[in-house]
Amino acid sequence: MYNRGIRGATSVTQNDEQEILQETVTLLKEIVIRNEIEPEDICSVWITMTGDLDATFPARAIRQLEGWDLVPLMCSVEIPVQGSLPQCIRFMIQVNTEKSQREMKHVYLNDARKLRPDLSTTSN
């Protein structure tokens, strides 16, 4: 068994609590589906948001999902690099798996597709 990282990112259109929570769940569910993982497989989830988002903690949305209440979650502020994508939520999910690094499916949604266009197709 290996510990692998799965990256993901999405964006919101405004600093709104409900939109942040909704997009967080959408991103997580897409990562889970594409990688065929369960909460029990997950070591931890590191979530960052750009400094222009402060309406809520995105981990709140994940903790409310069935089976996710014991998964370790951590929120942080993304490094404020000039010219970087605004209103962005990023994930680093550490998962226990038999899959190779190449088999990990990273997910980029909404404007965050600009961050990794090479990984942003629906077939990855």
Side-chain angles (χ1 to χ4, degrees), residues 7-13 83-90 107-121:
R7 288 294 319 267
T10 191
S11 61
V12 294
T13 59
S84 63
L85 183 67
Q87 299 176 319
C88 187
I89 304 165
R90 292 176 172 91
V107 177
Y108 293 82
L109 304 175
N110 300 328
D111 282 348
R113 288 182 172 104
K114 298 172 188 173
L115 299 172
R116 290 297 305 265
D118 58 320
L119 299 178
S120 298
T121 63

Short mmCIF file of all heavy atoms in Angstrom, two decimals, residues 7-13 83-90 107-121:
data_model
loop_
_atom_site.label_atom_id
_atom_site.label_comp_id
_atom_site.label_asym_id
_atom_site.label_seq_id
_atom_site.Cartn_x
_atom_site.Cartn_y
_atom_site.Cartn_z
N ARG A 7 -4.28 16.10 -6.15
CA ARG A 7 -4.47 17.54 -6.15
C ARG A 7 -5.81 17.88 -6.78
O ARG A 7 -6.30 17.17 -7.63
CB ARG A 7 -3.37 18.23 -6.97
CG ARG A 7 -2.00 18.25 -6.32
CD ARG A 7 -1.95 19.10 -5.07
NE ARG A 7 -2.68 20.36 -5.15
CZ ARG A 7 -2.18 21.52 -5.51
NH1 ARG A 7 -0.91 21.64 -5.81
NH2 ARG A 7 -2.93 22.61 -5.55
N GLY A 8 -6.33 19.00 -6.35
CA GLY A 8 -7.56 19.50 -6.94
C GLY A 8 -7.71 20.97 -6.64
O GLY A 8 -7.13 21.48 -5.68
N ALA A 9 -8.48 21.65 -7.46
CA ALA A 9 -8.75 23.06 -7.23
C ALA A 9 -10.04 23.44 -7.94
O ALA A 9 -10.44 22.84 -8.93
CB ALA A 9 -7.60 23.93 -7.73
N THR A 10 -10.67 24.45 -7.39
CA THR A 10 -11.86 25.03 -7.99
C THR A 10 -11.87 26.51 -7.67
O THR A 10 -10.99 27.00 -6.94
CB THR A 10 -13.15 24.33 -7.49
OG1 THR A 10 -14.26 24.77 -8.29
CG2 THR A 10 -13.41 24.60 -6.02
N SER A 11 -12.84 27.21 -8.19
CA SER A 11 -12.96 28.63 -7.89
C SER A 11 -14.41 28.98 -7.64
O SER A 11 -15.32 28.22 -7.99
CB SER A 11 -12.41 29.47 -9.05
OG SER A 11 -13.15 29.21 -10.22
N VAL A 12 -14.61 30.11 -7.01
CA VAL A 12 -15.95 30.63 -6.76
C VAL A 12 -16.05 32.00 -7.41
O VAL A 12 -15.03 32.61 -7.75
CB VAL A 12 -16.28 30.70 -5.25
CG1 VAL A 12 -16.34 29.29 -4.65
CG2 VAL A 12 -15.27 31.55 -4.50
N THR A 13 -17.26 32.51 -7.54
CA THR A 13 -17.43 33.80 -8.19
C THR A 13 -17.46 34.95 -7.19
O THR A 13 -17.31 36.11 -7.58
CB THR A 13 -18.73 33.83 -9.02
OG1 THR A 13 -19.85 33.57 -8.15
CG2 THR A 13 -18.69 32.80 -10.13
N GLY A 83 -0.70 38.25 -8.93
CA GLY A 83 -1.17 37.78 -10.23
C GLY A 83 -1.74 36.37 -10.22
O GLY A 83 -2.12 35.86 -11.27
N SER A 84 -1.80 35.72 -9.05
CA SER A 84 -2.33 34.36 -9.00
C SER A 84 -3.85 34.37 -9.12
O SER A 84 -4.50 35.40 -8.97
CB SER A 84 -1.89 33.66 -7.71
OG SER A 84 -2.42 34.33 -6.59
N LEU A 85 -4.41 33.20 -9.38
CA LEU A 85 -5.85 33.06 -9.56
C LEU A 85 -6.59 33.45 -8.29
O LEU A 85 -6.34 32.90 -7.23
CB LEU A 85 -6.18 31.61 -9.94
CG LEU A 85 -7.65 31.31 -10.23
CD1 LEU A 85 -8.11 32.02 -11.50
CD2 LEU A 85 -7.85 29.81 -10.36
N PRO A 86 -7.51 34.40 -8.37
CA PRO A 86 -8.28 34.81 -7.19
C PRO A 86 -9.42 33.84 -6.90
O PRO A 86 -9.78 33.02 -7.74
CB PRO A 86 -8.82 36.19 -7.57
CG PRO A 86 -8.96 36.12 -9.05
CD PRO A 86 -7.83 35.24 -9.54
N GLN A 87 -9.98 33.95 -5.71
CA GLN A 87 -11.16 33.20 -5.29
C GLN A 87 -11.03 31.70 -5.58
O GLN A 87 -11.91 31.06 -6.14
CB GLN A 87 -12.41 33.78 -5.95
CG GLN A 87 -12.63 35.22 -5.55
CD GLN A 87 -13.78 35.87 -6.25
OE1 GLN A 87 -14.00 35.67 -7.44
NE2 GLN A 87 -14.54 36.66 -5.50
N CYS A 88 -9.91 31.15 -5.16
CA CYS A 88 -9.56 29.77 -5.47
C CYS A 88 -9.48 28.91 -4.21
O CYS A 88 -8.95 29.34 -3.18
CB CYS A 88 -8.22 29.75 -6.21
SG CYS A 88 -7.76 28.14 -6.84
N ILE A 89 -9.99 27.71 -4.31
CA ILE A 89 -9.94 26.70 -3.24
C ILE A 89 -9.11 25.54 -3.79
O ILE A 89 -9.40 25.04 -4.88
CB ILE A 89 -11.36 26.20 -2.88
CG1 ILE A 89 -12.26 27.37 -2.48
CG2 ILE A 89 -11.30 25.13 -1.79
CD1 ILE A 89 -13.74 27.03 -2.46
N ARG A 90 -8.09 25.14 -3.04
CA ARG A 90 -7.22 24.05 -3.48
C ARG A 90 -7.23 22.92 -2.46
O ARG A 90 -7.31 23.15 -1.26
CB ARG A 90 -5.79 24.56 -3.66
CG ARG A 90 -5.61 25.53 -4.81
CD ARG A 90 -4.16 26.04 -4.82
NE ARG A 90 -3.86 26.81 -5.99
CZ ARG A 90 -4.00 28.13 -6.08
NH1 ARG A 90 -4.46 28.82 -5.06
NH2 ARG A 90 -3.68 28.77 -7.18
N VAL A 107 -8.03 16.85 -10.16
CA VAL A 107 -9.26 17.46 -10.66
C VAL A 107 -9.18 18.98 -10.52
O VAL A 107 -8.93 19.50 -9.44
CB VAL A 107 -10.48 16.93 -9.88
CG1 VAL A 107 -11.76 17.62 -10.35
CG2 VAL A 107 -10.61 15.42 -10.03
N TYR A 108 -9.41 19.67 -11.62
CA TYR A 108 -9.43 21.13 -11.64
C TYR A 108 -10.73 21.58 -12.29
O TYR A 108 -11.03 21.19 -13.42
CB TYR A 108 -8.22 21.67 -12.40
CG TYR A 108 -6.93 21.39 -11.65
CD1 TYR A 108 -6.31 20.15 -11.75
CD2 TYR A 108 -6.39 22.34 -10.81
CE1 TYR A 108 -5.16 19.88 -11.02
CE2 TYR A 108 -5.24 22.08 -10.08
CZ TYR A 108 -4.64 20.85 -10.19
OH TYR A 108 -3.52 20.58 -9.46
N LEU A 109 -11.51 22.37 -11.55
CA LEU A 109 -12.83 22.79 -12.00
C LEU A 109 -12.93 24.31 -12.12
O LEU A 109 -12.13 25.03 -11.52
CB LEU A 109 -13.89 22.29 -11.01
CG LEU A 109 -13.93 20.79 -10.73
CD1 LEU A 109 -14.93 20.48 -9.63
CD2 LEU A 109 -14.23 20.00 -11.99
N ASN A 110 -13.93 24.77 -12.83
CA ASN A 110 -14.22 26.21 -12.98
C ASN A 110 -12.98 26.95 -13.48
O ASN A 110 -12.24 26.41 -14.31
CB ASN A 110 -14.77 26.78 -11.68
CG ASN A 110 -16.05 26.09 -11.25
OD1 ASN A 110 -16.83 25.66 -12.10
ND2 ASN A 110 -16.27 25.96 -9.96
N ASP A 111 -12.72 28.15 -12.99
CA ASP A 111 -11.56 28.92 -13.44
C ASP A 111 -10.23 28.28 -13.03
O ASP A 111 -9.19 28.61 -13.60
CB ASP A 111 -11.61 30.35 -12.91
CG ASP A 111 -12.57 31.23 -13.69
OD1 ASP A 111 -13.02 30.80 -14.79
OD2 ASP A 111 -12.87 32.33 -13.22
N ALA A 112 -10.27 27.36 -12.08
CA ALA A 112 -9.04 26.69 -11.64
C ALA A 112 -8.47 25.78 -12.73
O ALA A 112 -7.31 25.37 -12.63
CB ALA A 112 -9.29 25.90 -10.36
N ARG A 113 -9.23 25.52 -13.76
CA ARG A 113 -8.69 24.74 -14.89
C ARG A 113 -7.46 25.43 -15.48
O ARG A 113 -6.59 24.78 -16.04
CB ARG A 113 -9.76 24.57 -15.97
CG ARG A 113 -10.86 23.62 -15.59
CD ARG A 113 -11.86 23.47 -16.75
NE ARG A 113 -12.81 22.42 -16.46
CZ ARG A 113 -14.06 22.63 -16.09
NH1 ARG A 113 -14.53 23.86 -15.98
NH2 ARG A 113 -14.87 21.62 -15.85
N LYS A 114 -7.39 26.74 -15.35
CA LYS A 114 -6.25 27.51 -15.86
C LYS A 114 -4.95 27.13 -15.15
O LYS A 114 -3.87 27.32 -15.70
CB LYS A 114 -6.49 29.01 -15.67
CG LYS A 114 -7.67 29.55 -16.42
CD LYS A 114 -7.94 31.00 -16.02
CE LYS A 114 -9.23 31.50 -16.62
NZ LYS A 114 -9.59 32.84 -16.12
N LEU A 115 -5.06 26.65 -13.92
CA LEU A 115 -3.86 26.30 -13.14
C LEU A 115 -3.12 25.10 -13.73
O LEU A 115 -1.89 25.07 -13.72
CB LEU A 115 -4.23 25.98 -11.69
CG LEU A 115 -4.88 27.11 -10.90
CD1 LEU A 115 -5.36 26.59 -9.55
CD2 LEU A 115 -3.89 28.25 -10.72
N ARG A 116 -3.88 24.12 -14.20
CA ARG A 116 -3.28 22.91 -14.77
C ARG A 116 -4.10 22.43 -15.96
O ARG A 116 -4.82 21.45 -15.89
CB ARG A 116 -3.22 21.80 -13.71
CG ARG A 116 -2.24 22.00 -12.59
CD ARG A 116 -0.78 22.05 -13.04
NE ARG A 116 -0.35 20.92 -13.80
CZ ARG A 116 0.28 19.85 -13.29
NH1 ARG A 116 0.53 19.77 -12.00
NH2 ARG A 116 0.65 18.86 -14.08
N PRO A 117 -4.01 23.13 -17.09
CA PRO A 117 -4.80 22.72 -18.25
C PRO A 117 -4.48 21.30 -18.70
O PRO A 117 -5.34 20.60 -19.25
CB PRO A 117 -4.44 23.74 -19.33
CG PRO A 117 -3.34 24.57 -18.79
CD PRO A 117 -3.22 24.31 -17.33
N ASP A 118 -3.26 20.84 -18.43
CA ASP A 118 -2.87 19.49 -18.80
C ASP A 118 -3.62 18.43 -17.98
O ASP A 118 -3.72 17.28 -18.40
CB ASP A 118 -1.37 19.30 -18.63
CG ASP A 118 -0.89 19.59 -17.22
OD1 ASP A 118 -1.37 20.56 -16.58
OD2 ASP A 118 -0.01 18.84 -16.73
N LEU A 119 -4.17 18.80 -16.83
CA LEU A 119 -4.89 17.86 -15.97
C LEU A 119 -6.38 18.17 -15.89
O LEU A 119 -7.09 17.54 -15.11
CB LEU A 119 -4.30 17.91 -14.55
CG LEU A 119 -2.84 17.53 -14.41
CD1 LEU A 119 -2.40 17.68 -12.96
CD2 LEU A 119 -2.58 16.11 -14.89
N SER A 120 -6.86 19.09 -16.68
CA SER A 120 -8.22 19.59 -16.53
C SER A 120 -9.24 18.97 -17.47
O SER A 120 -10.37 19.41 -17.50
CB SER A 120 -8.24 21.11 -16.71
OG SER A 120 -7.46 21.70 -15.71
N THR A 121 -8.87 17.98 -18.22
CA THR A 121 -9.85 17.34 -19.10
C THR A 121 -10.71 16.37 -18.30
O THR A 121 -10.29 15.86 -17.27
CB THR A 121 -9.15 16.56 -20.23
OG1 THR A 121 -8.37 15.52 -19.66
CG2 THR A 121 -8.27 17.47 -21.07
#
